[in-house]
Amino acid sequence: MKKIAAIIAVFALCSAPAFAANQGGFTGPGASQQSGGFTGPNGSKATVESVKSLRDDAWVTLRGNIVERVSDDTYLFKDATGTINVDINRKRWNGVTVGPQDVVEIQGEVDKDWNSVEIDVKEISKVAQ
């Protein structure tokens, strides 16, 4: 009986990624064919100035330049309205390489503390110019 339970558990673990690959998602430029999901804008377009008045955990999309590395995962992001710190975990880069001259689009959550506001970046992409 234990052998059968172990075999079923192994089968379930091995087949889970196959089932997950067929579930909803985004359909738009660069997306793979999927059934179901969201087909619209990528969150509210925002500016650095407007982000500072949004609520904590608000989802935003910003377009501008990363002009400086502040610390390990923290960078200074700039658009026409100002600058803000953005936290970009190494896994979020996904092979994208950018310099201060490159325009990028970042999507993430507003992270408000007592005396600071930053963006916890979930996705970054280089904008074609």
Side-chain angles (χ1 to χ4, degrees), residues 32-52:
S32 60
Q33 292 293 336
Q34 299 174 350
S35 60
F38 179 71
T39 58
N42 296 331
S44 64
K45 296 283 183 180
T47 63
V48 169
E49 185 177 326
S50 68
V51 163
K52 295 176 182 177

Side-chain angles (χ1 to χ4, degrees), residues 52-80:
K52 295 176 182 177
S53 64
L54 294 176
R55 64 175 171 72
D56 190 34
D57 296 329
W59 187 262
V60 294
T61 301
L62 293 167
R63 187 175 283 205
N65 305 81
I66 297 175
V67 295
E68 181 183 347
R69 184 177 186 179
V70 177
S71 65
D72 190 35
D73 287 343
T74 305
Y75 300 84
L76 188 63
F77 178 86
K78 180 181 183 204
D79 72 4

